[in-house]
Amino acid sequence: MLKIQNLHANVEGKQILKGINLEIKAGEVHAIMGPNGSGKSTLASVLAGRKEYEVTEGTVEFLGRDLLDLDPEERAGEGLFLAFQYPVEIPGLSTTNFIKTAVNEIRKYRGQESLDAVAFLKMMKEKMALMNIDQSLLSRPLNEGFSGGEKKRNEIFQMAMLQPKLAILDETDSGLDIDAIRIVANGVNKLHTKENAVLVVTHYQRLLDYIIPDFVHVLYNGRIVKSGTKELALELEEKGYDFIKNEIDVEEQV
Amino acid sequence: MNNLEYYKERFDRLKSAKTVDRFADIRQNAFNDFSKTGIPTSKNEEWKYTRIGNIFNKEYRSLIPDVVSAAAEEALSSVRLPGYEQANELVFVNGFFNQPLSTIRSSDLVILSLEEAAVADEYREFVKKNLGHSHHYLKDGINALNTAFMQGGLFIHVKKGYAVEHPVYIYNISDAGAGNIFCQPRSLMHVAENSQLQMAETYVTIGGSDSFTNQVMEVVIEKDAVVEYYKIQNDAANASLVSTTHFRQTGKSYIHTVTISLNGGIVRNNLNIIMESERSEAHLYGLYFHGGTSHIDNHTIVDNVKPNCFSNELYKGILNEDSTGVFNGKIYVRQDAQKTNAYQSNKNILLSDNASVNTKPQLEIFADDVKCSHGCTVGQLDEEAMFYLQSRGISESTARSLLVRAFAEDILEHIKLDPIHKYIEKLIVKRLKKGTT
């Protein structure tokens, strides 16, 4: 589904990603872990098409297309979704109106007819029940005054509505208490099928207690330095990132 | 018509045409003022960023009463605001109040010509006391010019204790079909004790030549009265306008204004709220969304004369293409006006590199126990918000439209007159469809 090869990226002239290789297949859950400043969020942003990031080398193929050649909205149309670490507050724009616009713009991209009000409402109701989210949240302006947990639930609700093929969760657990993490993780698990894939970007292992990854990758200094199964996450939790850092720094000196 | 002789000649002609002139004194004083100050130039601080000299470099029909054009009568049907079937409609054509075109549905609304009101027993004193009061605040030649040539003016009286069940719609029609036209509508309104009124006003120019409208409306609001006023400007690029609305709160009263400006040539709004009574309240909202080469200037004055008044002001601007904007908000807090609460904010978004705005909040506080704040911002659409919307599959142009619409929302939500609210929403959606990129 997603094939990243030798990806290098700069932000403001500073090289952050220094040769990422990663392949994700349909049905898989991958986790990317790493210490602060390792490039985790940069990777998520580059994949979603954030303008400030400049790809200097490498390729990203998504469902057979050159992802880096697409605008952010085209990437979404192709089935990519980024759950933001810091969802943006937009006063004056109702959450429902925003989601309806997004659903129909994506349908347009795919050559499908717009959903009429009735069909859209029916879909909303279904997903609201599935995600256990309240109508009152959705009639408020987009993310305005939402708590951290409400913002993240709203992200996952959008994911439910847009039904992406690949969902990237950028530090979705940051700033959430255990209850909120559980709710958000349950939502993600309910949406996960054999046809889609999830890439979880996180600093801590705790989210991975609820979203069980098939593969765990450790990102350090702009490269994936170690890959393994979910046990790797537990090892990291136990030993901290220093053991990886030491290993790599020693290797690089040699 | 940029030299004094031009006006002098016409002023003399006007004087000699009138055998009886109830307004001879005020007219003469205004003309003397105008002769001294002339047309404001950019040297005048109040007109620094709004240059109207070019407007006066053209020839216009006329400062003398004009025949009402048949075209203007026809035009009325196309300029009517939604909900007009239930409204009192007051129509000005080329600056003159037009009784036959107007419709009065509320018996608690008294409509007279200014001249009639000036001799009527029950209104004579009121007119004498209040007509021309705006002159104390607007000392430039423009205000004086209207007063000097005041004709065909309108007097409106809202009876004590009445809630006017039908809103009042005011139309200003300028007929530029037979050459450039210069219009000076004038009105004086009395909102008596414990009455309620909703009012909307709009402007339209018909015909292909240029129009210049120099309007003055003075409103006196008495104790316990509540007034809502919506000003809607969406005229064409050939239509320039100086629109002065001057409210005096002579009794403890409530006023709510929303000024919506969407198009025009050079548009200057003067909105004055003189809070002359304790515990009065005023809300001033404004939205300007301009493009092309148009120019929009909002000058507001909130004068806290007495203690314990509350005012809140929020103006938001969206400027596209080569348009220019000006915001100047003055708040005076007089020495007596302790415990004043006065807030002001002006926020602007520039959608193009060529658009610009000059914004200036001004507080002059002479009391020591007050709460006042002011602030202004000028920026662009938020990049992060754009990316957020685009990452959800929303195209760049739709994302821009959504953000502009969202920016305007906290002004639009203050339009409490439902048909007018819907109408403005529609105009903005139409404008956004035309493209904001």
Side-chain angles (χ1 to χ4, degrees):
Chain A
M1 178 179 283
L2 182 79
K3 199 169 180 186
I4 304 174
Q5 284 183 309
N6 193 31
L7 184 66
H8 288 66
N10 287 350
V11 62
E12 287 166 3
K14 193 177 170 222
Q15 194 167 46
I16 309 283
L17 300 184
K18 302 170 182 171
I20 304 268
N21 293 293
L22 179 66
E23 189 168 355
I24 298 177
K25 296 196 173 72
E28 292 177 349
V29 176
H30 287 243
I32 292 204
M33 301 183 70
N36 291 332
S38 59
K40 301 188 300 287
S41 282
T42 298
L43 177 61
S45 293
V46 168
L47 292 177
R50 199 187 279 273
K51 259 195 228 157
E52 308 89 275
Y53 295 85
E54 186 199 356
V55 173
T56 52
E57 214 182 321
T59 58
V60 181
E61 198 184 295
F62 180 57
L63 296 165
R65 292 200 61 173
D66 177 1
L67 188 73
L68 301 177
D69 197 35
L70 302 176
D71 288 332
E73 62 267 32
E74 294 171 321
R75 298 179 194 203
E78 293 292 331
L80 188 84
F81 180 88
L82 172 66
F84 278 51
Q85 182 177 2
Y86 304 110
V88 182
E89 297 192 14
I90 307 184
L93 174 59
S94 92
T95 305
T96 305
N97 183 18
F98 158 69
I99 294 177
K100 190 176 180 191
T101 307
V103 166
N104 282 329
E105 289 254 316
I106 285 181
R107 292 181 68 87
K108 193 164 104 191
Y109 180 85
R110 293 175 185 166
Q112 298 163 323
E113 296 237 330
S114 289
L115 289 184
D116 61 31
V118 177
F120 176 76
L121 219 63
K122 187 164 168 272
M123 182 179 176
M124 279 264 286
K125 287 239 164 83
E126 273 172 34
K127 304 294 180 188
M128 275 161 60
L130 186 72
M131 291 293 110
N132 209 357
I133 200 164
D134 201 50
Q135 175 67 50
S136 63
L137 202 66
L138 301 175
S139 25
R140 280 161 59 183
L142 183 55
N143 292 324
E144 193 192 16
F146 283 27
S147 70
E150 286 171 336
K151 280 182 184 168
K152 298 300 169 75
R153 274 166 73 188
N154 188 16
E155 291 293 287
I156 305 306
F157 179 70
Q158 290 168 39
M159 177 178 157
M161 290 295 289
L162 300 179
Q163 298 170 291
K165 299 194 180 81
L166 174 65
I168 303 167
L169 312 183
D170 186 9
E171 309 254 3
T172 294
D173 53 330
S174 75
L176 297 194
D177 60 38
I178 287 295
D179 280 346
I181 288 182
R182 198 178 290 135
I183 291 168
V184 165
N186 276 342
V188 173
N189 289 334
K190 280 183 196 163
L191 297 174
H192 182 48
T193 68
K194 279 187 185 135
E195 277 76 47
N196 60 31
V198 181
L199 176 60
V200 183
V201 174
T202 179
H203 185 84
Y204 300 105
Q205 184 268 340
R206 58 180 182 178
L207 179 62
L208 304 179
D209 284 342
Y210 304 101
I211 304 175
I212 314 288
D214 300 301
F215 301 97
V216 174
H217 312 276
V218 180
L219 192 63
Y220 178 58
N221 202 12
R223 286 184 300 124
I224 289 176
V225 294
K226 207 170 179 113
S227 293
T229 55
K230 63 180 185 208
E231 283 74 24
L232 177 58
L234 293 168
E235 192 183 351
L236 279 172
E237 182 72 9
E238 195 185 316
K239 296 185 183 166
Y241 283 110
D242 283 345
F243 100 94
I244 297 271
K245 286 186 191 171
N246 293 337
E247 229 171 75
I248 302 306
D249 293 343
V250 168
E251 257 175 49
E252 284 186 350
Q253 275 163 20
V254 175
Chain B
M1 48 176 234
N2 57 0
N3 60 62
L4 202 54
E5 284 70 50
Y6 177 92
Y7 296 96
K8 178 89 179 74
E9 194 249 323
R10 276 164 177 74
F11 187 70
D12 290 341
R13 228 198 292 164
L14 177 68
K15 272 204 301 193
S16 58
K18 286 192 182 292
T19 45
V20 185
D21 185 3
R22 306 282 165 201
F23 305 124
D25 292 348
I26 176 176
R27 199 187 290 291
Q28 187 64 53
N29 288 339
F31 190 76
N32 294 346
D33 284 346
F34 174 73
S35 305
K36 269 182 243 154
T37 52
I39 311 294
T41 66
S42 57
K43 282 181 202 139
N44 181 328
E45 189 61 28
E46 302 303 326
W47 292 87
K48 193 169 170 186
Y49 300 108
T50 296
R51 304 193 174 179
I52 54 170
N54 278 342
I55 293 175
F56 289 89
N57 287 338
K58 297 175 217 165
E59 291 303 316
Y60 294 85
R61 300 187 297 136
S62 71
L63 294 167
I64 298 297
D66 208 353
V67 283
V68 167
S69 74
E73 294 189 33
E74 273 172 42
L76 179 60
S77 59
S78 67
V79 305
R80 284 196 149 115
L81 293 169
Y84 72 88
E85 301 90 340
Q86 291 301 317
N88 297 287
E89 295 183 288
L90 305 176
V91 183
F92 284 84
V93 177
N94 295 344
F96 291 78
F97 176 62
N98 187 302
Q99 182 92 46
L101 289 183
S102 301
T103 309
I104 312 300
R105 292 177 205 279
S106 304
S107 55
D108 29 341
L109 206 61
V110 177
I111 301 293
L112 295 172
S113 75
L114 262 184
E115 284 81 2
E116 286 166 341
V119 294
D121 286 343
E122 59 266 65
Y123 305 122
R124 187 189 297 124
E125 274 309 303
F126 177 87
V127 172
K128 205 173 160 196
K129 220 167 110 188
N130 291 289
L131 185 68
H133 190 268
S134 57
H135 155 77
H136 296 295
Y137 289 83
L138 303 168
K139 298 197 179 292
D140 56 56
I142 288 289
N143 188 262
L145 185 60
N146 181 296
T147 303
F149 289 93
M150 194 162 49
Q151 290 174 90
L154 172 65
F155 176 79
I156 306 166
H157 174 78
V158 181
K159 286 184 188 166
K160 181 175 167 180
Y162 279 91
V164 178
E165 74 273 37
H166 302 289
V168 172
Y169 286 2
I170 303 174
Y171 306 111
N172 297 280
I173 300 172
S174 307
D175 183 359
N180 299 340
I181 181 87
F182 178 31
C183 315
Q184 299 209 95
R186 179 76 179 220
S187 50
L188 176 64
M189 187 172 209
H190 182 205
V191 185
E193 186 181 331
N194 192 28
S195 60
Q196 286 180 35
L197 178 69
Q198 289 183 306
M199 205 172 13
E201 173 159 39
T202 193
Y203 308 80
V204 66
T205 296
I206 53 172
S209 296
D210 295 347
S211 75
F212 174 49
T213 299
N214 177 26
Q215 178 199 23
V216 176
M217 171 152 116
E218 294 168 320
V219 184
V220 177
I221 307 173
E222 293 209 29
K223 196 174 119 193
D224 298 325
V226 175
V227 174
E228 279 174 41
Y229 175 61
Y230 305 103
K231 183 178 283 192
I232 303 154
Q233 296 162 337
N234 191 30
D235 213 345
N238 63 340
S240 289
L241 171 66
V242 177
S243 172
T244 297
T245 313
H246 181 81
F247 291 99
R248 293 181 73 180
Q249 294 181 287
T250 55
K252 180 196 78 122
S253 54
Y254 182 99
I255 174 157
H256 177 101
T257 68
V258 185
T259 303
I260 304 284
S261 187
L262 300 174
N263 201 6
I266 294 171
V267 178
R268 160 70 168 253
N269 292 312
N270 295 311
L271 174 62
N272 302 343
I273 303 209
I274 319 303
M275 309 181 90
E276 300 176 33
S277 186
E278 265 199 70
R279 299 188 193 280
S280 285
E281 186 167 336
H283 297 261
L284 303 77
Y285 298 99
L287 174 71
Y288 42 101
F289 183 6
H290 280 238
T293 56
S294 75
H295 177 86
I296 170 68
D297 175 351
N298 279 293
H299 264 63
T300 65
I301 295 175
V302 175
D303 189 2
N304 292 270
V305 181
K306 287 281 158 71
N308 281 305
C309 289
F310 173 93
S311 67
N312 185 34
E313 176 169 14
L314 175 63
Y315 271 67
K316 294 182 104 173
I318 304 150
L319 296 165
N320 199 7
E321 294 158 346
D322 299 314
S323 63
T324 47
V326 176
F327 174 82
N328 186 300
K330 267 198 197 109
I331 297 175
Y332 297 111
V333 181
R334 306 289 173 185
Q335 205 168 357
D336 276 353
Q338 300 294 0
K339 306 278 181 195
T340 289
N341 278 302
Y343 306 101
Q344 181 192 91
S345 172
N346 173 232
K347 296 178 178 171
N348 297 281
I349 287 184
L350 303 180
L351 293 177
S352 89
D353 292 342
N354 291 328
S356 68
V357 64
N358 284 291
T359 171
K360 184 175 170 192
Q362 274 178 289
L363 262 57
E364 291 186 28
I365 302 176
F366 303 99
D368 51 19
D369 182 14
V370 301
K371 276 190 213 143
C372 292
S373 72
H374 65 85
C376 53
T377 61
V378 181
Q380 276 140 10
L381 286 181
D382 180 10
E383 287 283 329
E384 185 64 14
M386 280 295 292
F387 176 62
Y388 190 54
L389 297 184
Q390 284 177 266
S391 80
R392 298 299 182 252
I394 297 171
S395 69
E396 192 177 346
S397 63
T398 306
R400 285 172 75 100
S401 291
L402 283 178
L403 291 183
V404 168
R405 177 68 188 73
F407 179 75
E409 178 59 27
D410 56 356
I411 301 300
L412 299 184
E413 71 185 14
H414 293 292
I415 304 177
K416 295 191 257 185
L417 197 53
D418 200 43
I420 299 297
H421 187 153
K422 289 197 181 116
Y423 172 65
I424 301 298
E425 293 255 2
K426 243 191 249 166
L427 290 180
I428 287 179
V429 168
K430 207 165 128 194
R431 167 69 59 83
L432 289 169
K433 275 200 183 132
K434 245 174 66 188
T436 55
T437 43

